[in-house]
């Protein structure tokens, strides 16, 4: 998109096209890639890419400029002493110094759940030699602030064990001993976090062993968290995402049901996460392996992206106006042999959702740039948003009469909304790209983009 040098500019655009993607080969030189991650490691405003591979290696490449260009990945570190499979890689500020650190789980000699922590030196992209955290008995894990102290703690997702346990972050790169929070006999391996009972704290949703369960936070965080099974017979290693499908202000559930071979969703019927029976978006999807959210067509609504391992396919479904309806499957590619996990993020800084994929069969790591076309509408001369980028306030100058506003993340998640004001405080938002939706009293919606510094 052409840049402007004026003091402020109108950021509102009309989006055309249906999310067309261009295929790009990142590398075919990494043997047996197993994990991909997107994060702005050096905090230059452009996302970078991390790749975990067998035997025990993590590769890294910086995003170059704003055009979706990446250098050849280079070896960032290997886990001594020449370990085998990486199970998981997560990036977060684990020592409260403002940069992104790397926590890796791996296996060695048949021992699962060995952990190493790699601390970044400032925003340099240079990581210190990894410190050995020992055998934590698990490969899959989550980073989340369980006790509300502002630090990301370690949560163990137990495929082989029967409880959910956490280690508290001490703020210096070290962690406490394990604290047991919940019975996890359903072997949950994926977690998401939301306040589904609207009591002001964060609860957990998890899937494993064919079951989806909610884990509710008690008044005292380190007491046992009660677990409720919501759905069964979903197939092993299913997947789910949480989004407001019907735009009624609460979070619904989208799920990859491997037993039924179907992409399905359930409505949050009361705002407290009491779910309706599962409703099918599309069936006949044998091998459905991954579901992710992203605003593919840049309309401010979260669309659904999926990968199908057995069909070597990558596809997406359009969210139709938040009406609880989705469009027909749009195939991005049907020749992705051995496609593994897909990751969604903005890889070219244009405000829409791009895709990162890997194949452990062909050793290909690819990224797919969303080529959605943008054009300026007729009302551009009657509306201005400034300053953009901004760190504190957005000022709206318009002849239109707006009733309310909503702010969405780059993944289409609602992060803020209120009645319309000519000045909107964005100081508490994290740095990044957001969509602003303005609605008139007649229900007309105008969607645009801004950058939070």
């Amino acid at each position: 998109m052409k840049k402007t040098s004026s003091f402020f500019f109108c950021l509102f655009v009309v989006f055309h096209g249906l999310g067309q993607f261009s295929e790009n080969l990142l590398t075919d030189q990494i043997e047996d890639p197993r994990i991909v991650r997107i994060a702005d490691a050096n905090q230059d405003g452009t996302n970078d890419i991390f790749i975990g591979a067998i035997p025990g290696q993590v590769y890294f490449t910086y995003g170059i400029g704003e055009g979706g260009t990446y250098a050849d990945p280079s070896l960032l570190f290997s886990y001594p002493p020449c370990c085998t499979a990486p199970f998981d890689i997560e990036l977060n500020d684990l020592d409260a110094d403002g940069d992104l650190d790397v926590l890796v789980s791996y296996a060695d000699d048949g021992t699962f759940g060995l952990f190493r922590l790699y601390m970044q030196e400032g925003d340099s992209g240079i990581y210190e030699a990894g410190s050995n955290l020992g055998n934590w008995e698990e490969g899959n894990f989550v980073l989340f602030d369980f006790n509300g102290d502002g630090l990301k703690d370690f949560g163990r997702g137990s495929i082989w064990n029967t409880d959910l346990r956490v280690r508290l972050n001490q703020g210096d790169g070290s962690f406490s001993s394990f604290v047991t929070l919940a019975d996890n006999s359903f072997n949950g391996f994926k977690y998401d976090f939301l306040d589904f009972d609207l009591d002001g704290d964060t609860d957990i949703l998890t899937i494993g062993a064919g079951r989806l369960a909610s884990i509710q936070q008690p008044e005292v965080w380190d007491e046992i968290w009660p677990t409720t099974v919501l759905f069964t017979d979903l197939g092993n290693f299913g997947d789910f995402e949480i989004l407001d499908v019907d735009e009624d202000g609460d979070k619904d559930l989208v799920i990859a049901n491997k037993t039924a071979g179907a992409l399905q969703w359930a409505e949050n019927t009361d705002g407290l996460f009491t779910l309706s029976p599962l409703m099918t978006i599309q069936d006949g999807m044998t091998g459905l392996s991954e579901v992710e959210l992203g605003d593919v067509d840049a309309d401010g609504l979260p669309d659904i992206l999926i990968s199908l391992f057995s069909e070597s396919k990558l596809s997406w479904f359009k969210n139709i106006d938040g009406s609880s309806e989705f469009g027909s499957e749009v195939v991005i590619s049907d020749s992705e042999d051995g496609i593994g996990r897909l990751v969604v993020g903005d890889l070219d800084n244009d405000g829409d959702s791009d895709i990162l994929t890997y194949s452990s069969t062909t050793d290909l790591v690819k990224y797919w740039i969303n080529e959605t076309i943008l054009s300026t509408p007729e009302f551009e001369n009657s509306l201005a948003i400034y300053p953009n980028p901004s760190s504190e306030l957005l000022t709206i100058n318009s002849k239109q009469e707006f009733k309310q506003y909503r702010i969405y993340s780059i993944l289409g998640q609602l992060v803020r909304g209120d009645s319309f004001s000519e000045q909107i405080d964005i100081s508490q938002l994290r740095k990044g790209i957001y969509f602003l939706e303005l609605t008139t009293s007649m229900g007309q919606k105008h969607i645009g983009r801004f950058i939070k510094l």
Side-chain angles (χ1 to χ4, degrees):
M1 184 184 294
K2 186 176 180 180
K3 295 183 179 179
T4 178
S5 59
S6 59
F7 175 68
F8 64 86
F9 61 95
C10 174
L11 62 81
F12 283 93
V13 290
V14 169
F15 299 98
H16 300 285
L18 292 175
Q20 306 298 319
F21 288 86
S22 63
E23 178 182 345
N24 301 270
L25 176 64
L26 182 63
T27 181
D28 58 2
Q29 299 300 306
I30 297 176
E31 183 180 355
D32 209 352
R34 292 298 180 98
I35 302 169
V36 288
R37 292 286 184 264
I38 298 173
D40 183 7
N42 59 350
Q43 299 190 35
D44 64 352
T46 301
N47 275 322
D48 311 306
I49 295 174
F50 292 77
I51 305 166
I54 294 177
Q57 297 171 328
V58 174
Y59 293 81
F60 174 75
T61 177
Y62 283 116
I64 301 173
E66 298 184 356
T69 302
Y70 288 85
D72 291 334
S74 58
L75 181 64
L76 187 62
F77 42 74
S78 296
Y79 336 135
C82 227
C83 307
T84 55
F87 274 94
D88 209 350
I89 299 173
E90 295 295 340
L91 298 99
N92 219 296
D93 182 10
L94 296 175
D95 55 356
D97 64 353
D99 57 38
L100 287 179
D101 309 305
V102 181
L103 184 61
V104 180
S105 66
Y106 62 95
D108 178 27
D109 254 348
T111 300
F112 296 97
L114 303 177
F115 279 80
R116 294 190 72 86
L117 176 62
Y118 297 83
M119 313 300 291
Q120 186 175 182
E121 300 174 358
D123 297 331
S124 62
I126 299 173
Y127 288 83
E128 301 173 359
S131 57
N132 185 8
L133 300 181
N135 182 4
W136 287 3
E137 303 176 358
E138 184 53 73
N140 301 83
F141 65 96
V142 292
L143 294 175
F144 181 72
D145 182 10
F146 285 94
N147 62 342
D149 64 355
L151 298 172
K152 297 297 183 183
D153 307 308
F154 169 91
R156 189 188 74 177
S158 284
I159 294 178
W160 296 288
N161 297 284
T162 58
D163 54 18
L164 170 62
R165 300 196 292 172
V166 303
R167 288 180 182 262
L168 299 181
N169 190 340
Q170 306 300 298
D172 58 1
S174 65
F175 293 82
S176 72
S177 57
F178 273 125
V179 177
T180 298
L181 294 187
D183 170 33
N184 193 22
S185 56
F186 48 84
N187 299 332
F189 69 93
K190 175 177 177 176
Y191 297 85
D192 208 341
F193 305 93
L194 74 160
D195 182 12
F196 54 72
D197 53 3
L198 302 181
D199 63 352
D201 56 31
T202 302
D203 310 302
I204 301 174
L205 198 64
T206 186
I207 192 170
R211 289 178 283 181
L212 184 88
S214 62
I215 304 176
Q216 185 176 353
Q217 184 172 165
E219 291 186 8
V220 180
W221 80 269
D222 57 351
E223 293 180 349
I224 295 297
W225 295 32
T227 301
T228 303
V229 174
L230 303 176
F231 294 106
T232 60
D233 197 27
L234 299 176
N236 288 329
F237 302 104
D239 198 11
F240 71 91
E241 290 292 338
I242 300 170
L243 75 159
D244 187 0
V245 172
D246 48 6
E247 280 214 304
D248 61 354
D250 55 36
K251 298 295 186 182
D252 308 302
L253 174 74
V254 174
I255 194 164
N257 188 332
K258 290 194 170 185
T259 298
L263 180 66
Q264 298 178 317
W265 78 284
E267 182 184 1
N268 184 343
T269 60
D270 59 0
L272 299 175
F273 218 64
T274 301
L275 296 174
S276 71
L278 289 171
M279 296 172 280
T280 297
I281 298 171
Q282 181 156 323
D283 55 13
M285 307 188 77
T286 304
L288 180 60
S289 52
E290 188 91 5
V291 57
E292 292 287 340
L293 303 178
D295 186 7
V296 174
D297 52 359
D299 63 353
L301 297 172
D303 306 302
I304 301 174
L305 299 100
I306 61 169
S307 62
L308 293 92
F309 180 85
S310 61
E311 297 182 28
S312 304
K313 190 162 63 172
L314 181 65
S315 303
W316 73 283
F317 295 81
K318 176 179 172 57
N319 186 338
I320 301 176
D321 299 328
S323 61
S324 75
E325 297 290 336
F326 288 88
S328 301
E329 180 183 11
V330 179
V331 177
I332 299 171
S333 174
D334 58 3
S335 59
E336 300 307 305
D337 185 32
I339 187 171
R341 181 178 299 176
L342 65 94
V343 177
V344 176
D346 187 4
L347 294 173
D348 56 355
N349 273 2
D350 66 349
D352 54 31
S353 295
D354 309 307
I355 305 170
L356 179 65
T357 67
Y358 72 89
S359 168
S360 56
T361 303
T362 62
D363 293 343
L364 298 179
V365 180
K366 296 180 181 180
Y367 62 102
W368 307 77
I369 296 299
N370 191 338
E371 304 290 356
T372 299
I373 300 171
L374 311 179
S375 68
T376 305
E378 295 178 356
F379 58 82
E380 66 174 338
N381 294 323
S382 65
L383 185 147
I385 308 296
Y386 58 92
N388 187 15
S390 175
S391 61
E392 298 290 335
L393 293 174
L394 288 179
T395 299
I396 302 171
N397 184 3
S398 175
K399 296 179 180 178
Q400 302 266 356
E401 292 186 3
F402 295 110
K403 181 180 180 180
Q404 67 178 18
Y405 78 89
R406 288 182 175 181
I407 296 175
Y408 295 87
S409 72
I410 194 66
L411 296 180
Q413 297 170 326
L414 178 65
V415 296
R416 181 171 299 174
D418 207 339
S419 56
F420 175 73
S421 171
E422 292 183 353
Q423 286 195 323
I424 299 175
D425 182 3
I426 61 171
S427 61
Q428 299 303 309
L429 298 180
R430 298 182 64 180
K431 294 179 181 179
I433 298 173
Y434 294 86
F435 289 104
L436 176 65
E437 176 190 85
L438 298 180
T439 305
T440 69
S441 58
M442 300 297 292
Q444 183 182 14
K445 295 182 179 180
H446 301 300
I447 301 170
R449 183 179 65 171
F450 69 89
I451 299 174
K452 168 62 167 62
L453 297 176

